[in-house]
Amino acid sequence: MAAKFTPSCFPLISQFILLLLNIQITRAKVPAVIVFGDSSVDTGNNNGIQTILKSNFKPYGRDFQGGQATGRFCNGRVPSDFISEAFGCKPFVPAYLDPNYGINDFAVGVDFASAGTGYDNATAAVMSVIPLWQELEYYKEYQQKLRASTGDVKANEIISEALYLLSLGTNDFLENYYMPLSNRSRQYTIEEYQNFLIGIAENFITELYKLGARKISLGGLCPIGCLPLERSRNMFSGSGCNEDYNKIARDFNGKLSGLTDKLNQQLSGIRLVLSNPYDIFFEMMMKPSQFGFESAAVACCATGIFEMGYLCDASNPFTCKDANKYLFWDAFHPTERTNYIVADHLVKTVLAQFL
């Protein structure tokens, strides 16, 4: 997709006034984008582990440069790729476990995310993927390699000025808590489980802070009850959105907002923001034609109702020809065009302070 961001630090009139006053503007530096999370931002780490949750095959990646199936759960790029490009870094963020990249590549952007993971270790165990604590261990290893490559002074600059993106939580609810025979639903009420996850998020961000991170974006949940997979599970109620799940997403986002306020007060020098995609996603889901989409209820791949991963087969005759017309690529993940719209919205609003 040829669409590009054209970010600007100030409106034109403000730039004109400042020029008249001969004030020099110093643009905030973001030398690297560092990513943690799940399939919403995984750029190929699951390729290197023993799990059935993979997407390194066609038709995944058919609209990525070179038509390459990288392990992104998308027809093209994911939001973190677009955010990286918007900040003047690379147009895609390489996966840490991808053997085709090394520390020189990772010095300007690195991705530790793993599809299927969550805040809860039990969520990662469902599909045998990388738990969040292991993502943090990989980051510590990355810091050691970075210092060995660039020296402490340069490494400290990259670490402290980098933009850190966190995007996870959906799997904790849809692939763990609400799954049949889930231990978590027997241990916790839904509010108790949300608080449990918030505690993990707090500890994770605090650890990142101790390791030198200062500019951190904490990702919220989209309307998870409107994912095509959840609509299909709701077929006996007309295949509409599961409003109970959407309320859980809104409630959890509220708790993430509270956590953001708390840590900004407690951790000196941190700049923690909540990147909440709920409203822009919901608007697209409710009024797809206003965004140029023809379908928001079913996905592009296969029947678009329940397929993802290996069920998203390159030879399936029902797969759409033009993914740009669809909000979702598979039954769980957005198309590249949707990812661009969401990333563009976040960059122009909550992330603009880091530009």
Side-chain angles (χ1 to χ4, degrees), residues 257-294:
S257 179
L259 175 63
T260 300
D261 292 340
K262 174 184 176 181
L263 293 181
N264 277 323
Q265 293 176 2
Q266 290 184 351
L267 303 178
S268 177
I270 197 172
R271 295 171 66 187
L272 176 64
V273 299
L274 175 63
S275 291
N276 186 354
Y278 188 97
D279 289 342
I280 185 67
F281 252 114
F282 191 74
E283 189 175 356
M284 286 190 286
M285 290 169 174
M286 296 298 103
K287 303 174 182 177
S289 61
Q290 292 188 10
F291 293 85
F293 295 113
E294 294 181 1

Side-chain angles (χ1 to χ4, degrees), residues 36 125 127-128 166 173 185 197 206 208 239 271 280 293 303 338-339 354:
F36 301 89
M127 289 290 185
S128 300
L166 281 65
F173 297 104
S185 61
L197 298 180
T206 302
L208 272 185
S239 297
R271 295 171 66 187
I280 185 67
F293 295 113
T303 66
T338 304
N339 287 334
F354 298 124

